[in-house]
Each structure stands twice: as C-alpha cells, then as structure tokens.
C-alpha cells in the first residue's frame, strides 16, 4: 500500500517525463522549422559582410588611387607653374637681348656708315680695310699689277657684308681677285684661299649660271672673276675672259 503513492508518484513522474518529452519533441520540431531562415539569415549576413568587406577594400583601393593621382596632379601643377615662371623669365630675357641687339646693330650701322665714308688719297676705309676703286680699265693681270704696285692686291670678298659694301659702291663691272687660271673650275683668291676656305660665294644664278667658262670670244675660256657684268647685275660674280679690260678694286689692310 505504501507503494501506491510511490507508484503513483512514479506514474506522475513518468507523466511529467512524458510531458517534458512531448515538449522537447515540439521544441525539436519547432527548431527544425526556425533553423532554415536562420541559416538563410546567416548566409545573408556572411554575404553582406563579404560585400561590405569587398566594398571597403575597393573603396580603400580607389582612395589610394585617388590620393596618388592627387599627388601627381599637385606635382604636375607645381612643375607647370614653375615652367610658366621659367618661360616668362626666358621671354623677358629674350626681349631684353633683342632690344640690346637692335640698339647695338643700329649703333654699329651708324658707325659703319661713318667709318666706311672715310677716305684718303682716293682709298675708302671700311672695317679695317682700305679699298681703291679704279677709274681706268685694264685686263685682269695688269689690274692686279697696279694693285700690287700700291702695296695692295685685287680685292678678296670673304663675307656678305663686304660683298654688300662693294656692290653699293660700283656703277660698272670691276675685276676682283678671283681666278681659275691654274686649274679650270678650281677658283682661288689672290691670297690662295679657296671658296671653301672663305665659305661665301656670290656667283650669278638668275640667268645663265656662272661660272660658265664661255669660249665664244676667247678660246682659252673665262678664268677671271668680275663683280657685275657689262649689263649691270652688280650684286653677282661673273667669270670673264682675263684679257677683257675692266675697272678693278684693290684692297689692303691699314
Ligand atoms: C628652368 O630653367 C632652368 C634653366 O634656365 C632649368 O635648369 C630648370 O630646370 C627649369 N625649371 C623648370 C621647372 O623647367
Ligand atoms: C656716306 O657717303 C655717301 C656718299 O658716298 C652719302 O650719301 C652718305 O650720306 C654718307 N653717310 C654719312 C653717314 O655721312
Ligand atoms: C700663293 O701661292 C703661290 C704659289 O703657290 C705663292 O707663290 C704665293 O706666295 C702664295 N700667296 C700667299 C698669299 O700665300
Ligand atoms: C694685259 O695687258 C697687258 C698690257 O696691255 C698685256 O701685256 C698683256 O698681254 C695682257 N694680258 C692679257 C691676258 O690679255
Ligand atoms: Ca674658267
Ligand atoms: Ca661667264
């Protein structure tokens, strides 16, 4: 009899157990049903976190790019600004130099006009040289002899400015100190300089090109050079027969 309550208690215990088990079963069932969204949520969270992480990395990357670009931009801007200052300074320097050059050139041409107008005993002085423009006409060899007898020689033309000066002084053709008497076509000055040595030559090129060693009047050809020809053209050189009688230009240093 004593067992009854015990057994009853056992039963009630069992009852309790069965109720708990029932509850546990329902818990297991309910947790089975809630796990699916949890897993989805978990995955979503992982993906979201991954996305955020990727975005963050991308952002950092882009920011680094932007920073380096910005630095480059600043550097280039600074260089540009410096070069602008440089170019302004150089422009100013160039303008100053041009102004100084023009002043000097004006002064020099004034000085030239003065100094190249000096004359004594029929000789014209210009830039350290004395020139004599003959009024009589002789063949090339006799012309040279006259110059040499005056302590000079036939003129050698060694620059554009000397050519320009002489051209400005003549109104008829004049012998100059250039010939190809020794070797046909090899032109040498009376001081033995070649045209290559002096670096300038002013042969006539606007018509029949000179020198042409024309042989119609003189079978020995044309082996002496004159400034200008019988029809003018005083700005150019012509080869002519050395026997022709022309005015001539002597030159000496002073
Ligand atoms: C400016 O010019 C000087 C030479 O005149 C040069 O040495 C310097 O590098 C230049 N600076 C820039 C920024 O170009
Ligand atoms: C130099 O002489 C020429 C004439 O030979 C003359 O026309 C010119 O005005 C003179 N120049 C000077 C600066 O005296
Ligand atoms: C030029 O050369 C000739 C012959 O070779 C020589 O007699 C003469 O002295 C030379 N003239 C000059 C100025 O050197
Ligand atoms: C140059 O003229 C002189 C004097 O008249 C003469 O002796 C000489 O033969 C002439 N030379 C030439 C190449 O015509
Ligand atoms: Ca010739
Ligand atoms: Ca000729």
């Amino acid at each position: 009899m004593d067992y009854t309550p015990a057994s009853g208690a056992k039963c009630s215990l069992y009852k309790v157990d069965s109720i708990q088990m029932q509850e546990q079963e329902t818990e297991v069932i309910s947790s089975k049903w809630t796990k699916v969204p949890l897993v989805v949520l978990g995955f979503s969270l992982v993906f979201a976190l991954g996305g955020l992480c990727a975005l963050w990395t991308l952002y950092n990357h882009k920011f680094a790019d932007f920073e380096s670009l910005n630095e480059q931009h600043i550097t280039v801007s600074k260089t540009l600004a410096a070069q602008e200052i440089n170019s302004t300074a150089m422009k100013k320097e160039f303008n100053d130099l041009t102004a100084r050059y023009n002043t000097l050139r004006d002064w020099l041409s004034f000085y030239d006009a003065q100094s190249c107008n000096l004359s004594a005993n029929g000789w014209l002085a210009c830039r350290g040289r004395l020139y004599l423009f003959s009024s009589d006409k002789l063949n090339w060899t006799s012309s040279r002899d006259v110059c040499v007898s005056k302590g000079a020689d036939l003129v050698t033309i060694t620059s554009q400015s000397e050519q320009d000066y002489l051209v400005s002084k003549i109104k008829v053709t004049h012998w100059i100190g250039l010939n190809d008497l020794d070797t046909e076509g090899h032109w040498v000055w009376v001081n033995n300089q070649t045209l290559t040595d002096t670096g300038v030559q002013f042969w006539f090129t606007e018509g029949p090109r000179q020198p042409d060693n024309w042989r119609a009047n003189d079978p020995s050809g044309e082996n002496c050079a004159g400034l200008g020809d019988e029809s003018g053209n005083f700005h150019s050189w012509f080869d002519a027969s050395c026997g022709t009688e022309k005015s001539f230009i002597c030159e000496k240093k002073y």
Side-chain angles (χ1 to χ4, degrees), residues 142-160:
S142 297
S143 299
R144 187 177 182 192
D145 289 346
V146 170
C147 291
V148 170
S149 75
K150 295 176 183 294
D153 207 333
L154 282 171
V155 71
T156 56
I157 304 175
T158 54
S159 70
Q160 176 78 58

Side-chain angles (χ1 to χ4, degrees), residues 78-87 90 93:
K78 274 184 188 161
T79 312
L80 265 180
Q83 273 171 0
E84 221 161 274
I85 291 168
N86 243 15
S87 100
M90 280 164 93
E93 202 174 329

Side-chain angles (χ1 to χ4, degrees), residues 13-48:
L13 265 177
Y14 170 78
K15 256 186 195 164
V16 168
D17 277 1
S18 80
I19 288 166
Q20 277 180 344
M21 271 177 73
Q22 259 182 329
E23 273 173 7
Q24 272 177 356
E25 252 172 62
T26 52
E27 247 174 56
V28 167
I29 291 164
S30 79
S31 77
K32 246 185 203 166
W33 282 108
T34 49
K35 245 184 198 163
V36 175
L38 267 179
V39 166
V40 170
L41 188 71
F43 271 111
S44 305
L45 268 176
V46 167
F47 275 117

